[in-house]
Amino acid sequence: MSARPTATAAAPSVAVESADPCCAAPLPVLGRDVTVPLVTGGEVTYAALDYAASAPALQRVWDDVAAYAPYYGSVHRGAGYLSQLSTDLFENSRATVAEFLDCRADDQVVFTRSTTDSLNLLAQALPADCQVFVFETEHHASLLPWQGARVTYLNAPRTPRQAVETLERALADRDPYGPALVCVTGASNVTGELWPVGELAAAAHAHGARIVLDAAQLAPHHPVSVRELDVDWIAFSGHKLYAPFGSGVLAGRADWLQEAEPYLAGGGASKKVARRTDGGVDVEWHTTATRHEAGSPNVIGVYSIASACKALTEAGFDALVSRERHLIAKVREGLAEVPEVRVLSLFGDDAPRVGVISFVVDGWNSSHFAAALSAEYGIGVRDGLFCAHPLVRTLLGSDPQDPGECGAPEAEPGERSLNAIRVSFGAGTPDEHVERFVRAVRELVVEGAKWEYRTEEGRCVPAV
């Protein structure tokens, strides 16, 4: 490696290689050539269709991290060359993420472990007596962190307009002088449907509330602008943005974060520490983003996020979005040809969405169906309640207050399931993967599974 690596250094191009977006090549990702065994014999290239859980790492990201790895060093305050280089790379990564999100000049970018960690950090930073408004349709990462505040859970809307109207009514009834926060997803991790974030932000601000956007499912698929959406904070995870390490981001307004106690107490968050004469300790905490980044940071994870941000920007979101719509159409049209399949939706078939589709199959237990897709076709999908229990149970017509178990089937193979199956894809998905999936769904419904399955520790698995 001949030059210092930085988050803004030039890297191999990953631009989509076609003037026709629908015919564009998928971005190179790790694992694209991995083969897996089939219970019926032979091997097949693995079709990773569980992007909504964790997307495969972009090859570009892996190459950038590998180039930096020999130069790895401690971050901040180190006098050595590698420490200074790593610090420079870490802070350049912060600037890259801010640019990717189109943050305001005075916004802070705080690095966390994940979307869940980001929203829990913000929950800890809420002013006293803050009221939080959150739709029951949220992922648990944005549904649950607010337990210490006054929370108003809003019923699932059936149209984007209804979502805005529901929020407006709830905000109109609140104490107009107290602090308030709205938490909303950008794209559903169950249905893939896009939410009217800009309109919800306008409604929140009109009633004196702030808004945080859970962009875990939105940022990997669409450009996200903090300025244009006019959100106060945004949270997302690296592992859904084609970056394989345990890092996340909370970006947005600094005031609540500066006024809150540090998320973790320790080195890095503290500016000055002194013993008192009474034996205690006085601490002056940082007011920058490092206030909530105590301990040695995950430099490689942070750099991988910055690399992914640059890779997606250089590839061009217009082309990525167009190609993904092409894949969405293939899947939806294929599933529509199988009468036994029912696709789950809040806003209807015409709602704009990302590459996340959940469905149920008449006469099939979801765990059984997912196990057969994997064992007989080499296709990886997700089954269960997707850590969005109230939403999935609402969509399935079951009791949204039934706690259930995430991912556990309620029936033996072949029996009806109260869970669902989710297929999800993105910038690295080849056409063949979604074509194989559609063919597999049709064959399983028409011909049945070719193998015997049994329940083991709450999941369906191939019988030996």
Side-chain angles (χ1 to χ4, degrees):
M1 186 169 180
S2 58
R4 288 173 51 145
T6 71
T8 56
S13 173
V14 293
V16 178
E17 301 175 351
S18 174
D20 180 359
C22 290
C23 300
L27 301 188
V29 294
L30 296 183
R32 59 189 179 274
D33 298 322
V34 168
T35 59
V36 294
L38 303 180
V39 292
T40 51
E43 292 186 341
V44 67
T45 302
Y46 183 65
L49 296 179
D50 193 16
Y51 276 48
S54 286
L58 287 172
Q59 183 68 54
R60 151 74 178 274
V61 173
W62 194 259
D63 292 343
D64 282 354
V65 168
Y68 161 65
Y71 296 81
Y72 175 84
S74 63
V75 178
H76 299 142
R77 295 170 299 283
Y81 177 83
L82 297 191
S83 290
Q84 293 182 40
L85 186 151
S86 295
T87 299
D88 181 56
L89 180 137
F90 185 82
E91 294 304 331
N92 280 342
S93 295
R94 201 188 302 274
T96 298
V97 172
E99 182 180 1
F100 178 75
L101 298 175
D102 191 25
C103 288
R104 297 163 292 251
D106 55 352
D107 283 341
Q108 287 187 348
V109 173
V110 181
F111 289 117
T112 64
R113 294 180 298 170
S114 60
T115 306
T116 302
D117 198 37
S118 296
L119 293 172
N120 275 272
L121 189 165
L122 184 59
Q124 179 182 288
L126 295 179
D129 203 34
C130 185
Q131 188 170 1
V132 178
F133 298 84
V134 57
F135 287 93
E136 68 174 1
T137 47
E138 294 292 313
H139 184 281
H140 293 172
S142 47
L143 185 72
L144 301 181
W146 322 107
Q147 301 294 311
R150 292 188 296 135
V151 188
T152 298
Y153 295 105
L154 306 176
N155 293 333
R158 286 299 182 169
T159 66
R161 182 66 246 168
Q162 190 180 79
V164 177
E165 292 170 350
T166 298
L167 178 62
E168 287 177 333
R169 284 194 299 270
L171 290 171
D173 292 338
R174 79 176 186 89
D175 178 357
Y177 301 105
L181 178 71
V182 176
C183 179
V184 67
T185 188
S188 171
N189 77 303
V190 177
T191 67
E193 292 164 319
L194 300 180
W195 278 62
V197 177
E199 292 88 338
L200 291 167
H205 294 153
H207 289 84
R210 297 190 180 189
I211 185 168
V212 57
L213 170 63
D214 174 354
Q217 300 296 340
L218 182 63
H221 302 271
H222 281 263
V224 177
S225 170
V226 170
R227 295 174 193 262
E228 290 183 10
L229 293 172
D230 196 22
V231 294
D232 298 281
W233 292 277
I234 182 172
F236 71 89
S237 297
H239 72 100
K240 299 184 191 297
L241 196 79
Y242 309 100
F245 307 101
S247 286
V249 168
L250 176 66
R253 302 197 181 278
D255 53 351
W256 285 9
L257 299 177
Q258 290 175 348
E259 294 163 7
E261 288 296 306
Y263 188 42
L264 296 173
S270 55
K271 189 175 182 180
K272 294 180 182 178
V273 180
R275 288 289 303 274
R276 296 197 305 262
T277 55
D278 63 2
V281 175
D282 284 326
V283 183
E284 180 182 347
W285 303 105
H286 280 293
T287 58
T288 62
T290 57
R291 182 184 188 88
H292 298 290
E293 294 176 346
S296 297
N298 181 359
V299 185
I300 288 181
V302 165
Y303 183 41
S304 71
I305 290 181
S307 174
C309 290
K310 287 183 65 64
L312 293 173
T313 300
E314 292 170 7
F317 268 109
D318 286 346
L320 295 176
V321 169
S322 294
R323 184 173 187 279
E324 185 170 306
R325 286 174 180 163
H326 162 70
L327 297 178
I328 293 170
K330 274 195 171 188
V331 173
R332 289 179 61 83
E333 289 168 5
L335 294 179
E337 294 175 356
V338 184
E340 293 82 358
V341 171
R342 177 167 68 91
V343 174
L344 305 182
S345 175
L346 266 179
F347 300 153
D349 291 342
D350 296 331
R353 65 193 71 231
V354 300
V356 179
I357 298 170
S358 296
F359 62 98
V360 291
V361 183
D362 289 347
W364 281 82
N365 172 271
S366 62
S367 183
H368 183 199
F369 202 88
L373 286 173
S374 174
E376 300 179 26
Y377 295 92
I379 298 170
V381 297
R382 180 62 59 102
D383 67 277
L385 298 174
F386 318 127
C387 292
H389 295 188
L391 171 57
V392 177
R393 295 204 176 279
T394 294
L395 294 172
L396 294 177
S398 55
D399 185 355
Q401 296 181 348
D402 184 341
E405 289 186 46
C406 192
E410 305 87 353
E412 290 299 314
E415 297 181 356
R416 180 178 179 272
S417 174
L418 295 179
N419 292 342
I421 305 151
R422 185 181 69 191
V423 56
S424 53
F425 40 86
T429 304
D431 282 43
E432 189 276 329
H433 287 187
V434 299
E435 291 164 358
R436 192 196 319 170
F437 166 76
V438 170
R439 184 178 69 253
V441 170
R442 185 182 303 113
E443 290 180 2
L444 285 172
V445 170
V446 174
E447 303 173 12
K450 301 179 179 66
W451 204 258
E452 294 294 326
Y453 295 81
R454 59 187 172 84
T455 299
E456 182 178 290
E457 296 183 353
R459 295 202 57 82
C460 289
V461 297
V464 177

Short mmCIF file of all heavy atoms in Angstrom, two decimals, residues 252-295:
data_model
loop_
_atom_site.label_atom_id
_atom_site.label_comp_id
_atom_site.label_asym_id
_atom_site.label_seq_id
_atom_site.Cartn_x
_atom_site.Cartn_y
_atom_site.Cartn_z
N GLY A 252 -27.73 14.06 13.43
CA GLY A 252 -28.77 15.07 13.54
C GLY A 252 -28.44 16.15 14.53
O GLY A 252 -27.27 16.42 14.82
N ARG A 253 -29.47 16.77 15.05
CA ARG A 253 -29.31 17.95 15.90
C ARG A 253 -28.49 17.65 17.15
O ARG A 253 -28.62 16.58 17.75
CB ARG A 253 -30.68 18.51 16.26
CG ARG A 253 -31.50 18.88 15.03
CD ARG A 253 -32.65 19.80 15.35
NE ARG A 253 -33.42 20.08 14.13
CZ ARG A 253 -33.08 21.00 13.22
NH1 ARG A 253 -31.99 21.71 13.41
NH2 ARG A 253 -33.82 21.21 12.16
N ALA A 254 -27.70 18.65 17.55
CA ALA A 254 -26.73 18.43 18.62
C ALA A 254 -27.26 18.76 20.00
O ALA A 254 -26.77 18.23 21.00
CB ALA A 254 -25.47 19.25 18.35
N ASP A 255 -28.29 19.63 20.11
CA ASP A 255 -28.62 20.19 21.42
C ASP A 255 -29.04 19.15 22.45
O ASP A 255 -28.51 19.11 23.56
CB ASP A 255 -29.68 21.29 21.29
CG ASP A 255 -30.92 20.86 20.54
OD1 ASP A 255 -30.93 19.75 19.96
OD2 ASP A 255 -31.91 21.64 20.51
N TRP A 256 -29.99 18.27 22.10
CA TRP A 256 -30.42 17.26 23.07
C TRP A 256 -29.26 16.32 23.42
O TRP A 256 -29.15 15.88 24.57
CB TRP A 256 -31.59 16.45 22.51
CG TRP A 256 -32.90 17.18 22.52
CD1 TRP A 256 -33.10 18.51 22.80
CD2 TRP A 256 -34.20 16.64 22.23
NE1 TRP A 256 -34.44 18.83 22.70
CE2 TRP A 256 -35.13 17.71 22.35
CE3 TRP A 256 -34.65 15.38 21.87
CZ2 TRP A 256 -36.50 17.52 22.13
CZ3 TRP A 256 -36.01 15.19 21.64
CH2 TRP A 256 -36.93 16.25 21.77
N LEU A 257 -28.42 16.03 22.45
CA LEU A 257 -27.30 15.12 22.69
C LEU A 257 -26.25 15.78 23.59
O LEU A 257 -25.66 15.13 24.46
CB LEU A 257 -26.66 14.71 21.36
CG LEU A 257 -27.57 13.95 20.39
CD1 LEU A 257 -26.83 13.65 19.09
CD2 LEU A 257 -28.06 12.64 21.01
N GLN A 258 -26.02 17.08 23.40
CA GLN A 258 -25.04 17.79 24.21
C GLN A 258 -25.51 17.95 25.65
O GLN A 258 -24.70 17.97 26.58
CB GLN A 258 -24.76 19.17 23.61
CG GLN A 258 -23.99 19.14 22.30
CD GLN A 258 -23.84 20.51 21.69
OE1 GLN A 258 -24.49 21.46 22.11
NE2 GLN A 258 -23.00 20.61 20.67
N GLU A 259 -26.81 18.08 25.84
CA GLU A 259 -27.35 18.32 27.18
C GLU A 259 -27.54 17.03 27.97
O GLU A 259 -27.69 17.07 29.21
CB GLU A 259 -28.69 19.06 27.06
CG GLU A 259 -28.54 20.48 26.49
CD GLU A 259 -29.86 21.04 25.98
OE1 GLU A 259 -30.91 20.37 26.20
OE2 GLU A 259 -29.85 22.12 25.37
N ALA A 260 -27.52 15.90 27.30
CA ALA A 260 -27.76 14.63 27.98
C ALA A 260 -26.48 14.09 28.61
O ALA A 260 -25.37 14.43 28.17
CB ALA A 260 -28.30 13.61 26.99
N GLU A 261 -26.64 13.28 29.62
CA GLU A 261 -25.49 12.56 30.17
C GLU A 261 -24.92 11.64 29.09
O GLU A 261 -25.66 11.13 28.24
CB GLU A 261 -25.91 11.74 31.39
CG GLU A 261 -26.23 12.57 32.61
CD GLU A 261 -25.01 13.32 33.13
OE1 GLU A 261 -23.97 12.68 33.37
OE2 GLU A 261 -25.10 14.56 33.28
N PRO A 262 -23.62 11.40 29.10
CA PRO A 262 -23.03 10.51 28.08
C PRO A 262 -23.71 9.14 28.08
O PRO A 262 -24.10 8.63 29.14
CB PRO A 262 -21.58 10.40 28.51
CG PRO A 262 -21.31 11.67 29.25
CD PRO A 262 -22.59 11.98 29.96
N TYR A 263 -23.85 8.58 26.89
CA TYR A 263 -24.49 7.27 26.74
C TYR A 263 -23.71 6.22 27.53
O TYR A 263 -24.31 5.36 28.18
CB TYR A 263 -24.52 6.92 25.26
CG TYR A 263 -25.31 5.69 24.90
CD1 TYR A 263 -26.55 5.42 25.48
CD2 TYR A 263 -24.83 4.79 23.95
CE1 TYR A 263 -27.27 4.30 25.13
CE2 TYR A 263 -25.55 3.67 23.59
CZ TYR A 263 -26.76 3.42 24.18
OH TYR A 263 -27.49 2.31 23.83
N LEU A 264 -22.38 6.30 27.47
CA LEU A 264 -21.51 5.47 28.27
C LEU A 264 -20.50 6.38 28.95
O LEU A 264 -19.99 7.32 28.32
CB LEU A 264 -20.75 4.45 27.41
CG LEU A 264 -21.59 3.39 26.69
CD1 LEU A 264 -20.70 2.58 25.74
CD2 LEU A 264 -22.26 2.46 27.68
N ALA A 265 -20.19 6.12 30.20
CA ALA A 265 -19.19 6.90 30.91
C ALA A 265 -17.83 6.24 30.75
O ALA A 265 -17.68 5.04 30.97
CB ALA A 265 -19.56 7.01 32.39
N GLY A 266 -16.84 7.03 30.35
CA GLY A 266 -15.51 6.46 30.20
C GLY A 266 -14.60 7.33 29.38
O GLY A 266 -14.92 8.49 29.05
N GLY A 267 -13.44 6.78 29.04
CA GLY A 267 -12.47 7.51 28.25
C GLY A 267 -13.02 7.84 26.88
O GLY A 267 -13.78 7.09 26.30
N GLY A 268 -12.61 9.01 26.37
CA GLY A 268 -13.10 9.46 25.09
C GLY A 268 -14.27 10.40 25.24
O GLY A 268 -14.36 11.42 24.56
N ALA A 269 -15.21 10.06 26.11
CA ALA A 269 -16.35 10.94 26.38
C ALA A 269 -15.98 12.07 27.32
O ALA A 269 -16.59 13.13 27.31
CB ALA A 269 -17.51 10.14 26.97
N SER A 270 -14.96 11.85 28.13
CA SER A 270 -14.56 12.83 29.14
C SER A 270 -13.48 13.76 28.61
O SER A 270 -12.55 13.34 27.93
CB SER A 270 -14.04 12.10 30.38
OG SER A 270 -12.99 11.20 30.02
N LYS A 271 -13.65 15.06 28.93
CA LYS A 271 -12.68 16.08 28.52
C LYS A 271 -11.67 16.35 29.63
O LYS A 271 -10.46 16.44 29.39
CB LYS A 271 -13.42 17.36 28.16
CG LYS A 271 -12.57 18.44 27.53
CD LYS A 271 -13.44 19.62 27.11
CE LYS A 271 -12.63 20.70 26.42
NZ LYS A 271 -13.49 21.85 26.01
N LYS A 272 -12.17 16.48 30.86
CA LYS A 272 -11.31 16.68 32.02
C LYS A 272 -11.86 15.87 33.18
O LYS A 272 -13.08 15.84 33.40
CB LYS A 272 -11.24 18.16 32.42
CG LYS A 272 -10.57 19.06 31.39
CD LYS A 272 -10.57 20.50 31.90
CE LYS A 272 -9.94 21.44 30.88
NZ LYS A 272 -9.98 22.86 31.34
N VAL A 273 -10.97 15.27 33.96
CA VAL A 273 -11.36 14.52 35.15
C VAL A 273 -10.42 14.91 36.28
O VAL A 273 -9.20 14.92 36.10
CB VAL A 273 -11.30 12.99 34.92
CG1 VAL A 273 -11.71 12.25 36.20
CG2 VAL A 273 -12.18 12.59 33.75
N ALA A 274 -10.98 15.27 37.46
CA ALA A 274 -10.15 15.69 38.59
C ALA A 274 -10.73 15.15 39.89
O ALA A 274 -11.95 15.06 40.05
CB ALA A 274 -10.07 17.21 38.65
N ARG A 275 -9.84 14.79 40.79
CA ARG A 275 -10.25 14.36 42.13
C ARG A 275 -10.68 15.56 42.95
O ARG A 275 -10.09 16.64 42.88
CB ARG A 275 -9.11 13.64 42.85
CG ARG A 275 -8.81 12.25 42.31
CD ARG A 275 -9.90 11.26 42.67
NE ARG A 275 -10.14 11.16 44.09
CZ ARG A 275 -9.46 10.37 44.91
NH1 ARG A 275 -8.47 9.61 44.47
NH2 ARG A 275 -9.77 10.32 46.20
N ARG A 276 -11.71 15.38 43.75
CA ARG A 276 -12.14 16.42 44.68
C ARG A 276 -11.54 16.18 46.06
O ARG A 276 -11.13 15.05 46.37
CB ARG A 276 -13.66 16.45 44.77
CG ARG A 276 -14.37 16.82 43.48
CD ARG A 276 -15.82 17.23 43.77
NE ARG A 276 -16.54 16.19 44.50
CZ ARG A 276 -17.36 15.30 43.92
NH1 ARG A 276 -17.53 15.31 42.61
NH2 ARG A 276 -17.98 14.41 44.67
N THR A 277 -11.53 17.21 46.86
CA THR A 277 -10.97 17.06 48.21
C THR A 277 -11.79 16.11 49.06
O THR A 277 -11.27 15.52 50.02
CB THR A 277 -10.90 18.43 48.90
OG1 THR A 277 -12.21 19.02 48.90
CG2 THR A 277 -9.93 19.35 48.17
N ASP A 278 -13.08 15.95 48.72
CA ASP A 278 -13.92 15.03 49.50
C ASP A 278 -13.79 13.59 49.02
O ASP A 278 -14.50 12.71 49.51
CB ASP A 278 -15.38 15.47 49.46
CG ASP A 278 -15.97 15.43 48.05
OD1 ASP A 278 -15.26 15.03 47.11
OD2 ASP A 278 -17.15 15.80 47.89
N GLY A 279 -12.88 13.36 48.07
CA GLY A 279 -12.66 12.00 47.59
C GLY A 279 -13.43 11.65 46.34
O GLY A 279 -13.23 10.57 45.77
N GLY A 280 -14.34 12.52 45.91
CA GLY A 280 -15.11 12.25 44.69
C GLY A 280 -14.36 12.64 43.44
O GLY A 280 -13.16 12.95 43.47
N VAL A 281 -15.07 12.65 42.31
CA VAL A 281 -14.47 12.96 41.02
C VAL A 281 -15.34 13.98 40.29
O VAL A 281 -16.56 13.84 40.23
CB VAL A 281 -14.33 11.69 40.14
CG1 VAL A 281 -13.82 12.05 38.76
CG2 VAL A 281 -13.40 10.69 40.79
N ASP A 282 -14.72 15.01 39.75
CA ASP A 282 -15.39 15.97 38.89
C ASP A 282 -15.06 15.64 37.44
O ASP A 282 -13.89 15.38 37.11
CB ASP A 282 -14.93 17.41 39.20
CG ASP A 282 -15.54 17.95 40.48
OD1 ASP A 282 -16.70 17.59 40.77
OD2 ASP A 282 -14.85 18.71 41.18
N VAL A 283 -16.09 15.65 36.60
CA VAL A 283 -15.89 15.31 35.19
C VAL A 283 -16.47 16.40 34.32
O VAL A 283 -17.60 16.86 34.53
CB VAL A 283 -16.58 13.97 34.82
CG1 VAL A 283 -16.28 13.62 33.36
CG2 VAL A 283 -16.12 12.86 35.75
N GLU A 284 -15.70 16.84 33.33
CA GLU A 284 -16.20 17.71 32.27
C GLU A 284 -16.30 16.86 31.01
O GLU A 284 -15.28 16.33 30.52
CB GLU A 284 -15.26 18.89 32.04
CG GLU A 284 -15.76 19.82 30.95
CD GLU A 284 -14.80 20.97 30.67
OE1 GLU A 284 -13.88 21.18 31.49
OE2 GLU A 284 -14.96 21.64 29.63
N TRP A 285 -17.52 16.71 30.48
CA TRP A 285 -17.73 15.86 29.32
C TRP A 285 -17.59 16.66 28.03
O TRP A 285 -17.85 17.85 28.00
CB TRP A 285 -19.13 15.23 29.37
CG TRP A 285 -19.42 14.43 30.59
CD1 TRP A 285 -20.21 14.79 31.65
CD2 TRP A 285 -18.90 13.15 30.92
NE1 TRP A 285 -20.23 13.81 32.61
CE2 TRP A 285 -19.44 12.78 32.18
CE3 TRP A 285 -18.05 12.24 30.28
CZ2 TRP A 285 -19.15 11.58 32.81
CZ3 TRP A 285 -17.75 11.04 30.90
CH2 TRP A 285 -18.30 10.71 32.15
N HIS A 286 -17.20 15.99 26.98
CA HIS A 286 -17.15 16.62 25.66
C HIS A 286 -18.55 17.04 25.22
O HIS A 286 -19.55 16.44 25.63
CB HIS A 286 -16.57 15.65 24.62
CG HIS A 286 -15.08 15.55 24.65
ND1 HIS A 286 -14.26 16.60 24.30
CD2 HIS A 286 -14.26 14.51 24.98
CE1 HIS A 286 -12.99 16.21 24.42
NE2 HIS A 286 -12.97 14.96 24.82
N THR A 287 -18.62 18.07 24.39
CA THR A 287 -19.90 18.48 23.80
C THR A 287 -19.99 18.09 22.33
O THR A 287 -21.01 18.32 21.69
CB THR A 287 -20.09 20.00 23.93
OG1 THR A 287 -19.00 20.67 23.29
CG2 THR A 287 -20.18 20.41 25.38
N THR A 288 -18.93 17.50 21.79
CA THR A 288 -18.94 17.01 20.41
C THR A 288 -19.55 15.61 20.37
O THR A 288 -20.00 15.07 21.40
CB THR A 288 -17.52 16.97 19.85
OG1 THR A 288 -16.74 16.06 20.64
CG2 THR A 288 -16.88 18.35 19.89
N ALA A 289 -19.55 14.99 19.19
CA ALA A 289 -20.11 13.64 19.05
C ALA A 289 -19.41 12.64 19.94
O ALA A 289 -20.02 11.64 20.36
CB ALA A 289 -20.01 13.20 17.59
N THR A 290 -18.14 12.89 20.28
CA THR A 290 -17.40 11.94 21.11
C THR A 290 -18.00 11.82 22.52
O THR A 290 -17.66 10.89 23.24
CB THR A 290 -15.92 12.35 21.22
OG1 THR A 290 -15.83 13.69 21.74
CG2 THR A 290 -15.25 12.30 19.86
N ARG A 291 -18.85 12.75 22.91
CA ARG A 291 -19.53 12.67 24.21
C ARG A 291 -20.24 11.33 24.37
O ARG A 291 -20.36 10.80 25.48
CB ARG A 291 -20.54 13.81 24.32
CG ARG A 291 -21.31 13.91 25.63
CD ARG A 291 -22.35 15.02 25.56
NE ARG A 291 -23.01 15.29 26.82
CZ ARG A 291 -22.56 16.14 27.75
NH1 ARG A 291 -21.44 16.80 27.54
NH2 ARG A 291 -23.24 16.34 28.87
N HIS A 292 -20.74 10.79 23.26
CA HIS A 292 -21.48 9.53 23.31
C HIS A 292 -20.73 8.37 22.63
O HIS A 292 -21.34 7.40 22.20
CB HIS A 292 -22.85 9.73 22.66
CG HIS A 292 -23.70 10.74 23.36
ND1 HIS A 292 -24.25 10.52 24.60
CD2 HIS A 292 -24.08 12.00 23.00
CE1 HIS A 292 -24.94 11.58 24.97
NE2 HIS A 292 -24.85 12.50 24.02
N GLU A 293 -19.41 8.50 22.54
CA GLU A 293 -18.59 7.46 21.90
C GLU A 293 -17.48 7.00 22.83
O GLU A 293 -16.33 6.80 22.41
CB GLU A 293 -17.99 8.00 20.59
CG GLU A 293 -19.01 8.30 19.52
CD GLU A 293 -18.40 8.91 18.27
OE1 GLU A 293 -17.22 9.35 18.32
OE2 GLU A 293 -19.08 8.96 17.24
N ALA A 294 -17.80 6.81 24.11
CA ALA A 294 -16.78 6.41 25.08
C ALA A 294 -16.18 5.06 24.70
O ALA A 294 -16.82 4.20 24.10
CB ALA A 294 -17.39 6.35 26.47
N GLY A 295 -14.91 4.90 25.08
CA GLY A 295 -14.21 3.66 24.79
C GLY A 295 -13.52 3.71 23.43
O GLY A 295 -13.67 4.67 22.67
#
